[in-house]
Amino acid sequence: HGGHVRFLLYDRFVKVVPGERVETVKHVSLTEEYFRAHYPHAPLVPPAFVLESMLQSLGGLIMVTHGWSVLPVLSLVEDVRLPPALGPGCRLDVTGELLSTNPAGSLGRASVSLEGRTIASAGRILYAHVPVRDSAALRERFRSLGAVP
């Protein structure tokens, strides 16, 4: 698979407003593939995976906003607050907002809620954009993962 996404850390898009906002959901299941490698006897979601769910959700919004013509590449994350490790059985609600975007890059922020309470946030997320030659192929790759709104 080369540089392809190995773990998609959201289950589905709940709401997408191109250029503005995305909401995704992640149901943490005991059958998650990463639990086999991390803590097999006491499964915990590493906090970095919660951050990754925010980054992937906002990245999805960027691709939709730009008509799948760019691939967002993470450049900077600041003002990050992460929860202690979480166990299986929880529902994570992810919200991402684009503060600005243009063909060269995007600036946004994101948060994760558990049972209506914010448990994680990234106050400043900066992406560079790499132009994509075949936007239909990019969209299809994410569609095959169930990652297209």
Side-chain angles (χ1 to χ4, degrees):
H1 282 284
H4 297 273
V5 173
R6 180 168 176 191
F7 296 114
L8 191 60
L9 294 173
Y10 59 86
D11 294 330
R12 65 181 170 84
F13 283 89
V14 175
K15 182 177 182 180
V16 177
V17 180
E20 295 179 23
R21 182 180 177 87
V22 65
E23 295 174 14
T24 63
V25 66
K26 174 66 179 167
H27 295 276
V28 179
S29 167
L30 189 56
T31 61
E32 300 286 349
E33 183 180 335
Y34 55 81
F35 282 143
R36 286 193 286 265
H38 296 278
Y39 321 106
H41 300 292
L44 295 172
V45 178
F49 280 28
V50 176
L51 175 60
E52 182 68 20
S53 72
M54 290 188 278
L55 301 175
Q56 288 182 6
S57 297
L58 192 57
L61 174 59
I62 292 166
M63 289 185 289
V64 168
T65 297
H66 290 274
W68 300 92
S69 66
V70 299
L71 190 61
V73 177
L74 181 64
S75 300
L76 174 81
V77 182
E78 290 183 326
D79 191 22
V80 175
R81 187 171 57 95
L82 296 174
L86 302 168
C90 59
R91 172 190 161 134
L92 302 178
D93 295 298
V94 181
T95 302
E97 297 174 78
L98 276 177
L99 303 174
S100 67
T101 189
N102 63 51
S106 294
L107 173 64
R109 63 180 168 219
S111 63
V112 176
S113 296
L114 174 65
E115 298 175 356
R117 185 174 52 88
T118 301
I119 61 164
S121 61
R124 186 169 183 238
I125 306 170
L126 185 63
Y127 294 90
H129 295 172
V130 175
V132 173
R133 281 186 244 173
D134 187 350
S135 59
L138 179 63
R139 187 178 196 284
E140 177 57 27
R141 181 169 50 171
F142 278 83
R143 189 203 59 75
S144 71
L145 294 169
V148 173

